Amino acid sequence: MSAATALRTDHLHCARLRRASRLFARQLAADLGRLLMERNVSIGEVFKNEQQISLASFRTRVVEIGFTAAPHEIDDVFATLDADGGGTLDFEELK
């Protein structure tokens, strides 16, 4: 296998992993949504009436309501929900 072929193969493999990671994060986000509904927790309660929530606060609050996932998975869910990529979630991003 030539170096160029190996590089293309690695690039395709990485792209597939990123796509799978995004799909898994979306599934976890859906799981979180179901948990919020099951526990009758509103988005306002997650935000604790703040306008925005940081990654650190998001981690703490979703664990407090009983969401179980590895820290990096919670980070992936946050990144998936952070539509504008601003590093915080606002209420509109979670509607």
Side-chain angles (χ1 to χ4, degrees):
M1 178 184 305
S2 72
T5 301
L7 184 60
R8 278 193 301 275
T9 301
D10 285 348
H11 178 72
L12 288 173
H13 180 71
C14 288
R16 287 184 186 126
L17 287 174
R18 283 192 302 273
R19 189 171 32 254
S21 178
R22 283 191 302 270
L23 289 172
F24 185 63
R26 283 190 209 122
Q27 179 60 49
L28 285 174
D31 292 347
L32 175 59
R34 280 189 291 280
L35 179 65
L36 292 172
M37 288 185 348
E38 288 170 6
R39 304 251 168 119
N40 201 27
V41 176
S42 72
I43 296 299
E45 290 174 79
V46 174
F47 274 80
K48 295 188 178 181
N49 298 318
E50 297 174 17
Q51 295 296 313
Q52 296 181 331
I53 187 171
S54 68
L55 174 58
S57 294
F58 181 78
R59 282 185 200 134
T60 300
R61 292 176 188 168
V62 298
V63 169
E64 287 173 351
I65 62 166
F67 187 64
T68 54
H72 74 276
E73 293 170 338
I74 293 173
D75 294 355
D76 289 346
V77 170
F78 183 91
T80 298
L81 297 173
D82 185 14
D84 65 6
T88 60
L89 295 179
D90 60 49
F91 193 77
E92 290 298 315
E93 290 174 309
L94 294 184
K95 277 188 173 182

